[in-house]
Amino acid sequence: MVVVGAGHVGMITAMKLAEANIIEEVVLVDIAEGLAAGIALDLTHSTALLGFDTKVRGVTSLAEAGSADYVVITAGRARQPGMSRTDLVEVNAAIVGGIAREAAAISPQTVLLVVTNPLDEMTHHAWRASGLPAERVIGMAGVLDSSRFQALTGLAADSSPSAVSALALGSHGDEMVIPLSQARVGGTTITAALPEAKVTALVDRARNSGAEIVGLLKSGSAFFAPGASAARMVLAMATNSDEIIAATVRAHGQYGIADGYVGLPARLGRTGLREIVELPLAADELAAVRTAAARIAERVADLERTSAPS
């Protein structure tokens, strides 16, 4: 499998995939001479320490990487303080579009997993640029946002984050939706475990966690949780997992969304999206997910107008 972009997110993604020890080879790709090769060698030096046999290689082009079952796209400009994900649209669209086209040409049966921001628009853009079926172009956002909410809720409820069950749907941004009707803390509804105002604050903080980290770092953006989330999705596909996770996928009528990419509950398999799982959301939650899909569609339309050949 291939990870494009040997920055912090790509590095963590590669490390987690290698450590899982179920993928034969992980190839890091980065145009910066020596960067991917250096990280790959450093990871290789840890094989005895961490107990994995995965081969790790670093190259400067997709052509050198060769064909792959999965291509994770992390390449692109990261957010700086004061920047929104939307500010990154034009510069990252050119990067993601080029990678998607080349990856599909080299590996016509590959699955693309998009991590580059703004996530929702870039996933749609990768699908259009690659020409691959929508089931084989998926965005990583819901796993990350769900994990952020689980971690914050665990701290607030004095509980293990693994005991918190929740899915972050909608967009990777302002229209993120956490259906509280489905959220649990140790088997108890989240609204019974914590005061309503506290839960609302936790949802807001999870929604804005990326910006919070950018502000604290001063330079760069989150990478540990995003990289681990991308690896989690690849492993779910590689193992044909039956778990339900949140992913940015293209709806075709599910949840009353006629068409378009949006974060929804999904099961992934070896060839990408297996199915979109329809949960019994409350009326206001369903409306919020539909609103998110509509807002994403508007931004996608704007991107397509600005990126169309003149």
Side-chain angles (χ1 to χ4, degrees):
M1 73 144 300
V2 169
V3 179
V4 185
H8 287 136
V9 175
M11 176 178 62
I12 296 298
T13 302
M15 181 184 74
K16 290 297 183 182
L17 288 170
E19 285 180 344
N21 210 30
I22 65 168
I23 293 171
E24 183 177 348
E25 182 181 54
V26 175
V27 185
L28 268 168
V29 179
D30 201 289
I31 59 172
E33 189 67 39
L35 178 60
I39 291 171
L41 181 57
D42 197 13
L43 281 173
T44 299
H45 290 164
S46 72
T47 53
L49 290 170
L50 300 177
F52 65 86
D53 300 313
T54 311
K55 297 176 183 176
V56 186
R57 185 160 55 96
V59 297
T60 57
S61 70
L62 279 165
E64 291 177 270
S67 63
D69 293 330
Y70 307 103
V71 175
V72 181
I73 303 176
T74 73
R77 186 180 177 189
R79 276 200 294 174
Q80 300 299 317
M83 293 179 68
S84 69
R85 291 184 177 93
T86 305
D87 291 333
L88 302 175
V89 170
E90 290 187 17
V91 64
N92 283 350
I95 296 170
V96 169
I99 293 169
R101 279 188 290 272
E102 188 176 4
I106 294 170
S107 306
Q109 301 304 314
T110 197
V111 177
L112 299 181
L113 178 61
V114 181
V115 181
T116 306
N117 277 319
L119 188 283
D120 308 296
E121 295 94 307
M122 291 303 101
T123 303
H124 175 96
H125 189 57
W127 167 62
R128 290 295 297 270
S130 69
L132 294 172
E135 292 75 17
R136 289 199 273 124
V137 182
I138 302 168
M140 187 290 293
V143 172
L144 171 60
D145 290 332
S146 301
S147 179
R148 285 171 168 168
F149 181 75
Q150 289 171 291
L152 295 170
T153 300
L155 290 172
D158 194 23
S159 174
S160 168
S162 61
V164 180
S165 173
L167 291 172
L169 311 179
S171 80
H172 187 44
D174 292 342
E175 303 94 10
M176 185 197 80
V177 181
I178 296 182
L180 298 179
S181 66
Q182 305 295 311
R184 300 287 185 273
V185 179
T188 302
T189 61
I190 194 167
T191 49
L194 291 167
E196 182 179 352
K198 184 66 174 178
V199 174
T200 300
L202 290 169
V203 172
D204 288 341
R205 190 177 181 194
R207 182 183 291 116
N208 296 303
S209 283
E212 182 180 358
I213 292 170
V214 168
L216 290 167
L217 293 176
K218 303 296 190 294
S219 176
S221 56
F223 56 92
F224 281 113
S229 297
R232 168 77 176 274
M233 291 183 72
V234 172
L235 294 172
M237 289 187 280
T239 60
N240 212 30
S241 169
D242 197 48
E243 66 181 319
I244 298 173
I245 63 175
T248 301
V249 294
R250 192 165 181 83
H252 296 288
Q254 297 93 340
Y255 292 92
I257 300 166
D259 192 39
Y261 274 96
V262 64
L264 295 174
R267 285 191 177 93
L268 305 181
R270 291 191 178 92
T271 57
L273 175 65
R274 282 170 54 192
E275 66 170 320
I276 293 172
V277 180
E278 295 201 60
L279 301 176
L281 304 186
D284 60 332
E285 296 166 350
L286 179 58
V289 171
R290 289 173 177 171
T291 296
R295 296 290 182 270
I296 292 168
E298 291 171 3
R299 294 193 291 269
V300 163
D302 289 341
L303 170 60
E304 292 185 331
R305 280 193 293 271
T306 58
S307 62
S310 56

